[in-house]
Amino acid sequence: MTDFTMTTDADGVATITWDVASKSMNVMSTAAFAHLSGLFDAAFADPAVKGVILTSGKKDFAGGMDLNVIAQMRAGGAAVIFDGVMGMHKILRKIELAGMDPKTKKGGKPVVAALPGTALGIGLELPLSCHRIIAADNPKAKIGLPEIMVGIFPGAGGTTRLVRKLGAMMAAPFLLEGKLSSPKDAKSAGIIDEVVAPEYLLARAKEWVLAAKDADLVKVWDDKAYKMPGGTPYHPAGFMTFVGANAMVMGKTMGAFPAAKALLGAVYEGALVPFDVALKIEARHFTGVLMNPSSTAMIRSLFINKEVLEKGANRPKVPDQSVRKLGVIGAGMMGAGIAYVAANAGIDVVLIDSTDEAAARGRAHSEGILDKGIKRGKVTADKKAEVLARITATTDYAALSGCDLVVEAVFEDTKVKAEVTAKVEAAVGPDCIFATNTSTLPISGLAKASIRAEQFIGIHFFSPVDKMNLVEIIRGKATDERAVAKALDFVRQIRKTPIVVNDARFFYANRCIIPYLNEGMRMLAEGVYPSLIENAAKLLGMPLGPLQLVDETSIELGVKIAKATKAAMGADYPDSAVDEVLFWMAGQGRMGKKANAGLYAYSEKGERLGIWDGLAAQFPETVAQPDLETVQHRLLMAQVLEAVRALEDGVLTDIREGDVGAILGWGFAPWSGGPFGWLDIIGAAKATAICDTLTAALGARFAAPAMLRDMAATGGSFYPAFKAQAA
Ligand code: NAD
């Protein structure tokens, strides 16, 4: 084991260096933790050692726990997890107490963590058990405890130590939101103790070790006089914090995220007891979270598979296709956003619209975002100038010369798009890839306007482009491998997450989200309480209820899509119940949020007030209401079955893309790990039974797809089946 090595200098300062040979970022394994423990034992026992510096041989300190450790612990069951976690606590507590006399708290050896860069998860929990944390002033470094983002929480003492260090209120954003900070911000927040110039990091650490007094080694929580900053739950100020925190977290998560609940439990209960008991409570809650299938599903989609897709798991094997010069046609909401993210990633952009004013407005969109960044201290004036200098706003197609990728984001109109395609192809070289950002028009149909259909592809961004991280890449029938690689390389350059799907009406994301909106409107028309519909969705962890989402995406768009779909499907069109709501609303002139009037009522300032009271007269609420579970099953199955059908139809070819795309694209219940993750959690047999019940009551739209029914019959599930298929 060589992840950690220890050397001792002539002044008696031992340096333990973390440097995992096979990885670019240090991650902690079980064996390495045990080895580290042994090194500390040796340092504490060696009379020649006065103190210890814990640092890294890499530019960063550590990225966190090796996820295999978590998987192994989980495989062993609750007792193995609990014992494993308590074992970690023991090691960290040993470092913290540093061989001091437990009564007099004297005679310990100082331990300082010297962080050259990023320190995340266990990479911060370990420093939190040291006596001092010094970080290099490295603006690229991220310091924090992001566990909650993947459905767990800091379980190696990070929760207990941070709350005791900062108080529950101040620790909340770091624990509950996984907020990451630069070293300077981490110092201001009180998470770390010092920030020094990178070249002085080790010298300063050594200086501190040599000067440390006994009192410097006693953690505040080991001091008899310790009082938790901001107060414990039964202190008047603490009471406000804890009551408020519970309400705030429940308000935000609706109890749908097991990790957030467990974290609150660990913090609240831990605050009422001595430190070592609090660690044990933390371990209990952590065990509960790891045993919950939600954490497996979230880690799989939001951590492992998201990264796998970003690294190009489904990229065709063709040479690098990084974009050098991008053309964007249409400087409206989407085009302006695409121009910004590309210029911000260092790509030269030509932004074209039909008038100079519209093109300039598109460029000004970037200016607006950059100005906001400057206000928040995230962007410098130089960076703003540099990004804006990369965007040429014009009406002149000749400026596209030299572009290797052009994305059109003009009106959603086949004729307009066809004209633009021809104009672009006349202006660019023969190798240029042409992409459309259409959200509804099939790619193969639009490609008919192209003289190079093999270089024609869909690159579907989500709104707002600078915030939404998913990009759906759509292969048309004729699209070749180089075009797919180009789109994927572009998405990598702008640091977003891609999924690659095949061409069909609405592709993947919109195909699944539209039935969710529609099911909400069907229930409204049936007389289900709108509040029941919306709250049922939120209790599932959906960010917006279907009716709110209808307003946000606009009734106008809904009507447009309904008309186009009806025209394409003719007699097979299945959504007349939905149209009843959509067309009536349009007739009332209530077009949604943009119009300040929709299914919800809005104030003049555009604040959402509540469900519009005019709905009740048109769609009278029935006396008998469905139960919450039925409403939830309808809302979930509407999306999930469409995802399964997309897989059956070959629109999706990889369930990892289906799950990651669902969470990032439309916020599908993240705790579930995605539609396929959810189906695996409840099991195909139960899912099929739900489908059968819903089909009997509501019709064939809930019929279980053959793939799901087969799984139910054979006891199979999606992820194991997919692994077998991929192998
Ligand atoms: P928008 O109306 O805000 O912008 C369209 C822009 O294209 C306008 O500035 C218009 O002047 C310009 N334009 C129209 N015809 C042109 C032409 N012939 N030459 C040059 N410029 C022309 O629309 P948007 O919301 O940005 O949508 C653009 C495209 O992106 C559509 O295909 C839409 O379906 C798709 N899309 C939209 C969203 C969304 O949420 N709005 C999401 C994904 C995809």
Side-chain angles (χ1 to χ4, degrees):
M1 172 56 66
T2 55
D3 287 6
F4 291 96
T5 48
M6 182 163 76
T7 55
T8 305
D9 70 12
D11 297 315
V13 176
T15 300
I16 297 179
T17 306
W18 193 357
D19 197 348
V20 182
S22 55
K23 298 209 151 83
S24 59
M25 177 73 97
N26 289 327
V27 289
M28 185 69 90
S29 67
T30 312
F33 217 152
H35 182 230
L36 177 67
S37 172
L39 292 178
F40 271 103
D41 286 338
F44 292 154
D46 184 349
V49 171
K50 296 201 178 94
V52 181
I53 299 172
L54 176 62
T55 191
S56 159
K58 302 193 189 294
K59 66 180 182 12
D60 291 311
F61 185 66
M65 191 62 93
D66 184 338
L67 289 171
N68 292 324
V69 174
I70 293 176
Q72 277 160 13
M73 280 164 105
R74 195 184 269 129
V80 169
I81 299 173
F82 183 75
D83 291 346
V85 175
M86 287 309 291
M88 285 197 257
H89 284 324
K90 212 167 147 192
I91 297 171
L92 295 177
R93 196 68 178 129
K94 176 176 69 191
I95 296 172
E96 191 161 55
L97 297 174
M100 68 180 71
D101 181 296
K103 283 217 176 95
T104 62
K105 303 212 162 47
K106 292 199 162 114
K109 293 187 181 180
V111 181
V112 56
L115 314 178
T118 290
L120 300 176
I122 187 76
L124 179 58
E125 294 183 290
L126 179 53
L128 282 170
S129 71
C130 299
H131 304 117
R132 195 161 185 87
I133 309 175
I134 306 177
D137 186 8
N138 170 353
K140 287 203 172 137
K142 296 259 176 274
I143 293 180
L145 299 166
E147 285 87 342
I148 198 83
M149 308 297 285
V150 291
I152 55 176
F153 70 87
T159 298
T160 301
R161 286 193 174 85
L162 202 68
V163 168
R164 282 203 164 36
K165 201 166 179 178
L166 308 185
M169 171 96 96
M170 301 310 275
F174 304 105
L175 295 172
L176 278 167
E177 293 161 24
K179 181 178 167 190
L180 305 182
S181 314
S182 67
K184 279 195 173 141
D185 289 348
K187 156 99 176 45
S188 312
I191 299 173
I192 64 170
D193 305 300
E194 271 184 67
V195 180
V196 299
E199 59 274 27
Y200 295 125
L201 180 66
L202 291 179
R204 172 61 195 135
K206 179 170 170 177
E207 184 184 58
W208 188 84
V209 165
L210 291 174
K213 307 267 178 308
D214 280 329
D216 295 330
L217 313 194
V218 181
K219 286 294 181 63
V220 283
W221 46 86
D222 284 323
D223 188 332
K224 277 216 178 76
Y226 172 72
K227 287 209 165 37
M228 185 178 283
T232 50
Y234 293 122
H235 178 277
F239 178 80
M240 302 297 284
T241 305
F242 279 90
V243 171
N246 271 319
M248 198 186 78
V249 172
M250 286 305 281
K252 271 194 181 164
T253 65
M254 294 279 174
F257 292 81
K261 261 197 206 170
L263 170 68
L264 277 181
V267 172
Y268 179 91
E269 294 159 27
L272 297 170
V273 294
F275 185 77
D276 287 295
V277 184
L279 288 180
K280 206 165 176 182
I281 289 174
E282 186 192 290
R284 283 231 172 88
H285 281 291
F286 188 71
T287 304
V289 162
L290 276 204
M291 289 301 290
N292 191 314
S294 162
S295 67
T296 314
M298 277 182 88
I299 291 176
R300 184 178 55 214
S301 289
L302 289 172
F303 193 81
I304 302 172
N305 290 341
K306 178 172 169 291
E307 201 173 297
V308 161
L309 298 177
E310 285 163 2
K311 285 196 170 150
N314 293 330
R315 186 186 183 281
K317 307 264 170 293
V318 297
D320 180 46
Q321 297 292 321
S322 296
V323 176
R324 296 177 306 278
K325 184 175 172 188
L326 174 76
V328 179
I329 321 295
M333 187 162 90
M334 299 305 289
I338 297 166
Y340 166 72
V341 294
N344 197 41
I347 301 171
D348 287 330
V349 180
V350 176
L351 178 59
I352 291 186
D353 207 297
S354 29
T355 64
D356 285 324
E357 294 73 34
R361 230 181 295 126
R363 187 171 179 275
H365 174 75
S366 290
E367 200 166 354
I369 298 177
L370 291 160
D371 282 340
K372 264 193 210 151
I374 290 178
K375 258 196 196 151
R376 282 202 226 111
K378 301 276 178 214
V379 177
T380 62
D382 284 353
K383 169 86 180 175
K384 174 185 162 185
E386 188 191 311
V387 173
L388 287 179
R390 285 196 198 108
I391 305 176
T392 307
T394 178
T395 55
D396 182 8
Y397 279 69
L400 293 175
S401 159
C403 283
D404 49 327
L405 174 68
V406 172
V407 181
E408 72 73 12
V410 297
F411 299 139
E412 188 75 338
D413 180 308
T414 308
K415 199 161 152 259
V416 178
K417 287 191 187 296
E419 283 164 16
V420 165
T421 307
K423 272 164 97 172
V424 168
E425 287 182 340
V428 296
D431 292 335
C432 180
I433 303 295
F434 185 95
T436 169
N437 181 47
T438 178
S439 32
T440 56
L441 304 168
I443 303 302
S444 309
L446 293 177
K448 287 185 188 144
S450 168
I451 49 170
R452 295 184 281 264
E454 70 284 1
Q455 288 171 216
F456 194 103
I457 192 164
I459 304 185
H460 179 209
F461 283 85
F462 293 77
S463 174
V465 179
D466 59 313
K467 298 229 167 66
M468 296 293 286
N469 280 331
L470 185 74
V471 180
E472 188 174 20
I473 295 170
I474 306 114
R475 296 171 191 265
K477 276 199 192 81
T479 307
D480 71 9
E481 302 277 85
R482 190 175 72 85
V484 175
K486 186 95 195 167
L488 280 166
D489 289 354
F490 175 50
V491 174
R492 180 179 40 73
Q493 282 173 286
I494 57 175
R495 291 184 288 278
K496 294 198 182 281
T497 310
I499 61 170
V500 181
V501 303
N502 287 314
D503 193 19
R505 179 163 289 278
F506 304 136
F507 322 129
Y508 173 62
N510 285 337
R511 172 177 180 159
C512 298
I513 194 72
I514 292 171
Y516 171 67
L517 304 182
N518 287 355
E519 204 56 35
M521 286 188 280
R522 277 176 203 276
M523 284 194 261
L524 176 71
E526 286 167 23
V528 178
Y529 298 149
S531 53
L532 176 55
I533 302 170
E534 297 292 84
N535 286 322
K538 289 198 184 149
L539 287 165
L540 286 170
M542 294 297 295
L544 301 184
L547 304 181
Q548 188 184 343
L549 197 48
V550 168
D551 268 8
E552 305 259 337
T553 51
S554 98
I555 299 280
E556 200 178 353
L557 183 66
V559 165
K560 239 186 187 173
I561 292 177
K563 280 185 181 160
T565 313
K566 209 177 211 165
M569 296 184 79
D572 294 336
Y573 183 71
D575 290 325
S576 44
V578 177
D579 291 359
E580 214 186 286
V581 177
L582 275 177
F583 287 89
W584 182 75
M585 287 296 291
Q588 299 294 307
R590 299 188 68 88
M591 291 304 193
K593 184 164 191 286
K594 262 197 274 182
N596 253 5
L599 295 167
Y600 279 82
Y602 299 84
S603 74
E604 270 175 28
K605 280 191 201 147
E607 296 149 324
R608 202 163 38 86
L609 300 175
I611 290 290
W612 174 47
D613 55 15
L615 288 181
Q618 181 68 14
F619 308 110
E621 292 166 0
T622 51
V623 177
Q625 289 286 313
D627 58 28
L628 176 68
E629 194 180 60
T630 304
V631 176
Q632 291 186 321
H633 283 164
R634 288 179 68 170
L635 292 174
L636 267 185
M637 280 300 182
Q639 306 167 70
V640 168
L641 295 182
E642 211 48 54
V644 177
R645 288 183 204 117
L647 184 65
E648 275 186 343
D649 294 353
V651 170
L652 269 183
T653 55
D654 183 332
I655 56 171
R656 297 174 301 183
E657 293 181 313
D659 274 351
V660 173
I663 301 176
L664 299 190
W666 74 93
F668 181 89
W671 58 267
S672 69
F676 299 101
W678 181 66
L679 287 172
D680 278 1
I681 288 175
I682 64 163
K686 179 155 182 214
T688 309
I690 294 173
C691 289
D692 290 345
T693 307
L694 292 179
T695 307
L698 299 157
R701 69 181 181 282
F702 288 109
M707 191 181 260
L708 191 61
R709 217 169 262 293
D710 289 350
M711 276 183 189
T714 57
S717 50
F718 283 95
Y719 274 90
F722 177 76
K723 249 192 193 152
Q725 171 204 327

